[in-house]
Amino acid sequence: MRGKFVVFEGCEGSGKSTQLKLLSEYLTNSGADFIMTREPGGSEISEEIRKIILNGKNTAMCDECEALLYAAARIQHLKEKVAPALEAGKLVVCDRYIYSSLAYQGHARGLGEDFIESINKAAVCNYPADITVFLDISPTEAFKRKHGADKDDRMEQLGLAFHERVYAGYKALMAKHTDICAVYCGGSKYETAENVKNLLKEKEIIK
Ligand code: TYD
């Protein structure tokens, strides 16, 4: 039987990495058969594409190129790593997936959901996530918590207004797609981890 596919989404500074680390510890301790991976990246070729996308020097990159590079990294990672693990019955936990492209490139960059869906069809048609956990915190609150944006990261440098559009994009997606479950993450990391774990148990994704 195909394994479950869990995706984590959120704005910059939402604490995704911390939550994924805590979930990974829990899954290891409970003996789950799982892999944890990330986008953009997660496989050798996709990590190369990631470097091009996030390189702060690539200021001339147009929005369409950015969206296509994320889609290219996604399909390579999916075919090389995610799909084989799911077919082997493993639980796959992935840091970001198609909703990132819809929120960042579709909404915040203004390319529109139709364009993003069309270039990602090959990936998402066959392997939709079973559940997407959205770590919910506004960019204003998040940047305050992490004391500003990372100077070397092209995406983080786009400014608060851009990241507020990303956040609004996620909210619009949530209104349409019931597989996205929001978990408020403005409290302590342990509180959030507990809420994430309970949600995944409730949905019978983890034990
Ligand atoms: P990363 O350092 O992994 O950021 P985070 O820790 O916030 O996940 O960099 C990923 C960046 O790429 C992040 O700014 C979100 C952005 N992104 C998109 O714009 N579109 C996408 O489809 C994906 C997967 C990520």
Side-chain angles (χ1 to χ4, degrees), residues 82-141:
V82 175
L86 291 172
E87 296 306 339
K90 289 182 196 295
L91 168 67
V92 175
V93 182
C94 189
D95 184 349
R96 299 190 179 279
Y97 196 45
I98 172 87
Y99 289 130
S100 281
S101 288
L102 288 166
Y104 283 76
Q105 284 69 48
H107 283 262
R109 292 286 198 204
L111 292 177
E113 289 191 25
D114 289 349
F115 176 70
I116 301 301
E117 271 166 10
S118 70
I119 61 174
N120 281 280
K121 221 184 259 160
V124 182
C125 272
N126 294 327
Y127 292 95
D130 291 292
I131 183 172
T132 296
V133 180
F134 174 64
L135 294 178
D136 196 346
I137 187 168
S138 75
T140 308
E141 211 182 327

Side-chain angles (χ1 to χ4, degrees), residues 8-17 20 38-41 50 53-54 66-67 69-71 73-74 95-105 109 116 120 146 150 153-156 158 162-163 166 170:
F8 277 69
E9 293 281 355
C11 294
E12 317 304 301
S14 58
K16 261 186 310 90
S17 314
L20 287 164
R38 71 163 179 185
E39 279 201 1
R50 176 190 174 92
I53 303 175
L54 298 182
E66 179 183 289
L69 287 175
Y70 278 117
R74 175 164 301 127
D95 184 349
R96 299 190 179 279
Y97 196 45
I98 172 87
Y99 289 130
S100 281
S101 288
L102 288 166
Y104 283 76
Q105 284 69 48
R109 292 286 198 204
I116 301 301
N120 281 280
K146 79 191 284 275
D150 180 348
D153 186 315
R154 198 174 61 87
M155 298 304 283
E156 283 212 13
L158 290 169
F162 176 85
H163 291 288
V166 172
Y170 274 122

Side-chain angles (χ1 to χ4, degrees), residues 68-87:
L68 287 161
L69 287 175
Y70 278 117
R74 175 164 301 127
I75 190 77
Q76 180 67 31
H77 173 235
L78 184 86
K79 288 199 168 177
E80 215 180 319
K81 193 161 174 187
V82 175
L86 291 172
E87 296 306 339

Side-chain angles (χ1 to χ4, degrees), residues 13-29:
S14 58
K16 261 186 310 90
S17 314
T18 306
Q19 289 309 319
L20 287 164
K21 192 165 160 272
L22 291 170
L23 180 64
S24 171
E25 282 165 16
Y26 174 79
L27 292 173
T28 303
N29 291 337

